[in-house]
mmCIF file of all heavy atoms in Angstrom:
data_model
loop_
_atom_site.group_PDB
_atom_site.id
_atom_site.type_symbol
_atom_site.label_atom_id
_atom_site.label_comp_id
_atom_site.label_asym_id
_atom_site.label_seq_id
_atom_site.Cartn_x
_atom_site.Cartn_y
_atom_site.Cartn_z
ATOM 1 N N SER A 1 1.114 -2.286 -6.595
ATOM 2 C CA SER A 1 0.839 -0.889 -6.211
ATOM 3 C C SER A 1 2.235 -0.212 -5.830
ATOM 4 O O SER A 1 3.049 -1.051 -5.316
ATOM 5 C CB SER A 1 -0.222 -0.728 -5.153
ATOM 6 O OG SER A 1 -0.501 0.546 -4.940
ATOM 7 N N HIS A 2 2.193 1.160 -5.826
ATOM 8 C CA HIS A 2 3.585 1.809 -5.584
ATOM 9 C C HIS A 2 3.404 2.806 -4.410
ATOM 10 O O HIS A 2 2.538 3.566 -4.416
ATOM 11 C CB HIS A 2 3.869 2.672 -6.831
ATOM 12 C CG HIS A 2 5.297 3.086 -6.923
ATOM 13 N ND1 HIS A 2 5.715 3.914 -7.919
ATOM 14 C CD2 HIS A 2 6.336 2.950 -5.994
ATOM 15 C CE1 HIS A 2 6.981 4.314 -7.767
ATOM 16 N NE2 HIS A 2 7.322 3.624 -6.516
ATOM 17 N N LEU A 3 4.267 2.583 -3.442
ATOM 18 C CA LEU A 3 4.334 3.471 -2.199
ATOM 19 C C LEU A 3 5.110 4.607 -2.787
ATOM 20 O O LEU A 3 6.293 4.626 -2.840
ATOM 21 C CB LEU A 3 4.938 2.770 -1.139
ATOM 22 C CG LEU A 3 5.093 3.792 0.142
ATOM 23 C CD1 LEU A 3 3.795 3.990 0.803
ATOM 24 C CD2 LEU A 3 6.065 3.064 1.173
ATOM 25 N N GLU A 4 4.404 5.784 -3.051
ATOM 26 C CA GLU A 4 5.177 6.952 -3.575
ATOM 27 C C GLU A 4 4.555 8.336 -3.209
ATOM 28 O O GLU A 4 5.364 9.243 -3.286
ATOM 29 C CB GLU A 4 5.240 6.878 -5.207
ATOM 30 C CG GLU A 4 3.973 6.848 -5.884
ATOM 31 C CD GLU A 4 3.990 6.694 -7.350
ATOM 32 O OE1 GLU A 4 5.078 7.105 -7.916
ATOM 33 O OE2 GLU A 4 2.992 6.403 -7.933
ATOM 34 N N LEU A 5 3.361 8.356 -2.752
ATOM 35 C CA LEU A 5 2.675 9.652 -2.583
ATOM 36 C C LEU A 5 2.323 9.835 -1.071
ATOM 37 O O LEU A 5 1.817 8.953 -0.569
ATOM 38 C CB LEU A 5 1.402 9.749 -3.398
ATOM 39 C CG LEU A 5 1.830 9.722 -4.932
ATOM 40 C CD1 LEU A 5 0.414 9.628 -5.768
ATOM 41 C CD2 LEU A 5 2.567 11.012 -5.430
ATOM 42 N N GLY A 6 2.604 11.012 -0.619
ATOM 43 C CA GLY A 6 2.169 11.434 0.688
ATOM 44 C C GLY A 6 2.144 12.877 0.755
ATOM 45 O O GLY A 6 1.483 13.586 -0.211
ATOM 46 N N GLU A 7 2.695 13.434 1.826
ATOM 47 C CA GLU A 7 2.735 15.001 1.780
ATOM 48 C C GLU A 7 3.729 15.504 0.657
ATOM 49 O O GLU A 7 3.664 16.638 0.199
ATOM 50 C CB GLU A 7 3.301 15.495 3.136
ATOM 51 C CG GLU A 7 2.358 15.261 4.186
ATOM 52 C CD GLU A 7 2.828 15.933 5.501
ATOM 53 O OE1 GLU A 7 3.725 15.347 6.161
ATOM 54 O OE2 GLU A 7 2.278 16.882 5.959
ATOM 55 N N ASN A 8 4.672 14.522 0.168
ATOM 56 C CA ASN A 8 5.466 14.811 -0.940
ATOM 57 C C ASN A 8 5.587 13.498 -1.600
ATOM 58 O O ASN A 8 5.234 12.432 -1.070
ATOM 59 C CB ASN A 8 6.827 15.346 -0.495
ATOM 60 C CG ASN A 8 7.392 14.531 0.612
ATOM 61 O OD1 ASN A 8 7.116 14.717 1.746
ATOM 62 N ND2 ASN A 8 8.365 13.672 0.210
ATOM 63 N N MET A 9 6.178 13.524 -2.748
ATOM 64 C CA MET A 9 6.567 12.187 -3.576
ATOM 65 C C MET A 9 7.895 11.680 -3.112
ATOM 66 O O MET A 9 8.785 12.517 -2.983
ATOM 67 C CB MET A 9 6.375 12.534 -5.167
ATOM 68 C CG MET A 9 6.442 11.285 -5.954
ATOM 69 S SD MET A 9 5.997 11.617 -7.531
ATOM 70 C CE MET A 9 6.068 9.968 -8.261
ATOM 71 N N LEU A 10 7.990 10.369 -2.922
ATOM 72 C CA LEU A 10 9.149 9.776 -2.377
ATOM 73 C C LEU A 10 10.312 9.712 -3.488
ATOM 74 O O LEU A 10 10.070 9.099 -4.474
ATOM 75 C CB LEU A 10 8.841 8.561 -1.834
ATOM 76 C CG LEU A 10 7.874 8.558 -0.715
ATOM 77 C CD1 LEU A 10 7.686 7.131 -0.087
ATOM 78 C CD2 LEU A 10 8.113 9.559 0.414
ATOM 79 N N SER A 11 11.431 10.113 -3.062
ATOM 80 C CA SER A 11 12.627 10.011 -3.937
ATOM 81 C C SER A 11 13.740 9.201 -3.164
ATOM 82 O O SER A 11 14.656 8.800 -3.787
ATOM 83 C CB SER A 11 13.213 11.156 -4.510
ATOM 84 O OG SER A 11 13.527 12.158 -3.529
ATOM 85 N N LYS A 12 13.681 9.142 -1.830
ATOM 86 C CA LYS A 12 14.574 8.502 -1.000
ATOM 87 C C LYS A 12 13.969 7.846 0.198
ATOM 88 O O LYS A 12 12.721 8.093 0.500
ATOM 89 C CB LYS A 12 15.652 9.540 -0.540
ATOM 90 C CG LYS A 12 16.613 10.105 -1.566
ATOM 91 C CD LYS A 12 17.695 10.933 -0.908
ATOM 92 C CE LYS A 12 18.715 11.487 -2.067
ATOM 93 N NZ LYS A 12 19.435 10.538 -2.601
ATOM 94 N N GLU A 13 14.693 6.913 0.748
ATOM 95 C CA GLU A 13 14.105 6.176 1.891
ATOM 96 C C GLU A 13 13.884 7.015 3.129
ATOM 97 O O GLU A 13 12.906 6.656 4.065
ATOM 98 C CB GLU A 13 15.007 5.003 2.310
ATOM 99 C CG GLU A 13 16.275 5.366 2.913
ATOM 100 C CD GLU A 13 17.434 5.803 1.987
ATOM 101 O OE1 GLU A 13 17.127 6.106 0.781
ATOM 102 O OE2 GLU A 13 18.622 5.706 2.416
ATOM 103 N N TYR A 14 14.430 8.228 3.224
ATOM 104 C CA TYR A 14 14.187 9.142 4.309
ATOM 105 C C TYR A 14 13.000 9.986 3.812
ATOM 106 O O TYR A 14 13.104 10.974 2.986
ATOM 107 C CB TYR A 14 15.375 10.071 4.609
ATOM 108 C CG TYR A 14 15.132 11.022 5.604
ATOM 109 C CD1 TYR A 14 14.677 10.696 6.931
ATOM 110 C CD2 TYR A 14 15.357 12.369 5.465
ATOM 111 C CE1 TYR A 14 14.512 11.573 7.994
ATOM 112 C CE2 TYR A 14 15.029 13.323 6.511
ATOM 113 C CZ TYR A 14 14.638 12.981 7.775
ATOM 114 O OH TYR A 14 14.455 13.926 8.802
ATOM 115 N N LEU A 15 11.714 9.676 4.374
ATOM 116 C CA LEU A 15 10.561 10.070 3.743
ATOM 117 C C LEU A 15 10.360 11.544 3.715
ATOM 118 O O LEU A 15 9.685 12.222 2.863
ATOM 119 C CB LEU A 15 9.412 9.436 4.408
ATOM 120 C CG LEU A 15 9.354 7.863 4.489
ATOM 121 C CD1 LEU A 15 7.992 7.415 4.804
ATOM 122 C CD2 LEU A 15 9.746 7.324 3.111
ATOM 123 N N PRO A 16 10.899 12.343 4.797
ATOM 124 C CA PRO A 16 10.731 13.802 4.815
ATOM 125 C C PRO A 16 11.556 14.579 3.714
ATOM 126 O O PRO A 16 11.349 15.609 3.443
ATOM 127 C CB PRO A 16 11.163 14.265 6.186
ATOM 128 C CG PRO A 16 11.033 13.059 6.978
ATOM 129 C CD PRO A 16 11.363 11.986 6.188
ATOM 130 N N HIS A 17 12.546 13.743 3.052
ATOM 131 C CA HIS A 17 13.298 14.433 1.985
ATOM 132 C C HIS A 17 12.408 14.841 0.812
ATOM 133 O O HIS A 17 11.674 13.998 0.353
ATOM 134 C CB HIS A 17 14.317 13.309 1.587
ATOM 135 C CG HIS A 17 15.173 13.804 0.380
ATOM 136 N ND1 HIS A 17 16.339 14.532 0.596
ATOM 137 C CD2 HIS A 17 15.057 13.713 -0.954
ATOM 138 C CE1 HIS A 17 17.008 14.679 -0.573
ATOM 139 N NE2 HIS A 17 16.156 14.308 -1.523
ATOM 140 N N LYS A 18 12.531 16.056 0.452
ATOM 141 C CA LYS A 18 11.627 16.515 -0.641
ATOM 142 C C LYS A 18 12.240 17.610 -1.471
ATOM 143 O O LYS A 18 11.629 18.579 -1.669
ATOM 144 C CB LYS A 18 10.324 17.052 -0.065
ATOM 145 C CG LYS A 18 10.485 18.012 1.096
ATOM 146 C CD LYS A 18 9.113 18.426 1.729
ATOM 147 C CE LYS A 18 9.334 19.326 3.028
ATOM 148 N NZ LYS A 18 8.083 19.670 3.649
ATOM 149 N N ASN A 19 13.313 17.331 -2.064
ATOM 150 C CA ASN A 19 14.114 18.179 -2.921
ATOM 151 C C ASN A 19 13.345 18.316 -4.323
ATOM 152 O O ASN A 19 13.406 19.394 -4.971
ATOM 153 C CB ASN A 19 15.404 17.747 -3.193
ATOM 154 C CG ASN A 19 16.411 18.226 -2.187
ATOM 155 O OD1 ASN A 19 16.070 19.072 -1.360
ATOM 156 N ND2 ASN A 19 17.729 17.633 -2.113
ATOM 157 N N LEU A 20 12.661 17.289 -4.772
ATOM 158 C CA LEU A 20 11.956 17.183 -6.029
ATOM 159 C C LEU A 20 10.566 17.499 -5.902
ATOM 160 O O LEU A 20 9.900 17.041 -5.012
ATOM 161 C CB LEU A 20 12.159 15.938 -6.778
ATOM 162 C CG LEU A 20 13.571 15.485 -7.104
ATOM 163 C CD1 LEU A 20 13.723 14.193 -7.849
ATOM 164 C CD2 LEU A 20 14.373 16.499 -7.863
ATOM 165 N N LYS A 21 10.074 18.302 -6.836
ATOM 166 C CA LYS A 21 8.541 18.580 -6.710
ATOM 167 C C LYS A 21 7.928 17.957 -7.952
ATOM 168 O O LYS A 21 8.518 17.658 -8.917
ATOM 169 C CB LYS A 21 8.471 20.194 -6.997
ATOM 170 C CG LYS A 21 9.164 21.051 -5.880
ATOM 171 C CD LYS A 21 8.802 20.775 -4.607
ATOM 172 C CE LYS A 21 9.640 21.622 -3.485
ATOM 173 N NZ LYS A 21 9.375 21.240 -2.155
ATOM 174 N N ILE A 22 6.582 17.851 -7.742
ATOM 175 C CA ILE A 22 5.654 17.305 -8.837
ATOM 176 C C ILE A 22 5.181 18.473 -9.627
ATOM 177 O O ILE A 22 4.531 19.409 -9.013
ATOM 178 C CB ILE A 22 4.542 16.501 -8.274
ATOM 179 C CG1 ILE A 22 5.091 15.297 -7.451
ATOM 180 C CG2 ILE A 22 3.652 16.005 -9.416
ATOM 181 C CD1 ILE A 22 3.893 14.507 -6.737
ATOM 182 N N THR A 23 5.385 18.434 -10.957
ATOM 183 C CA THR A 23 4.752 19.448 -11.800
ATOM 184 C C THR A 23 3.191 19.266 -11.831
ATOM 185 O O THR A 23 2.741 18.170 -11.618
ATOM 186 C CB THR A 23 5.328 19.394 -13.161
ATOM 187 O OG1 THR A 23 4.863 18.135 -13.889
ATOM 188 C CG2 THR A 23 6.773 19.509 -13.167
ATOM 189 N N PRO A 24 2.498 20.360 -12.253
ATOM 190 C CA PRO A 24 1.065 20.206 -12.279
ATOM 191 C C PRO A 24 0.738 19.106 -13.383
ATOM 192 O O PRO A 24 -0.314 18.455 -13.227
ATOM 193 C CB PRO A 24 0.556 21.561 -12.788
ATOM 194 C CG PRO A 24 1.634 22.583 -12.131
ATOM 195 C CD PRO A 24 2.907 21.748 -12.289
#
């Protein structure tokens, strides 16, 4: 399984980092 989704999708180890968005 993949740890990737929360309040945002993870792109870095610093979890609050959220420069990238998920398209619909």
Side-chain angles (χ1 to χ4, degrees):
S1 185
H2 192 185
L3 178 72
E4 60 179 340
L5 297 171
E7 289 184 292
N8 49 280
M9 190 166 183
L10 302 184
S11 58
K12 290 186 183 289
E13 69 277 20
Y14 180 56
L15 305 193
H17 178 85
K18 49 184 177 182
N19 277 348
L20 300 183
K21 308 299 181 187
I22 300 175
T23 64

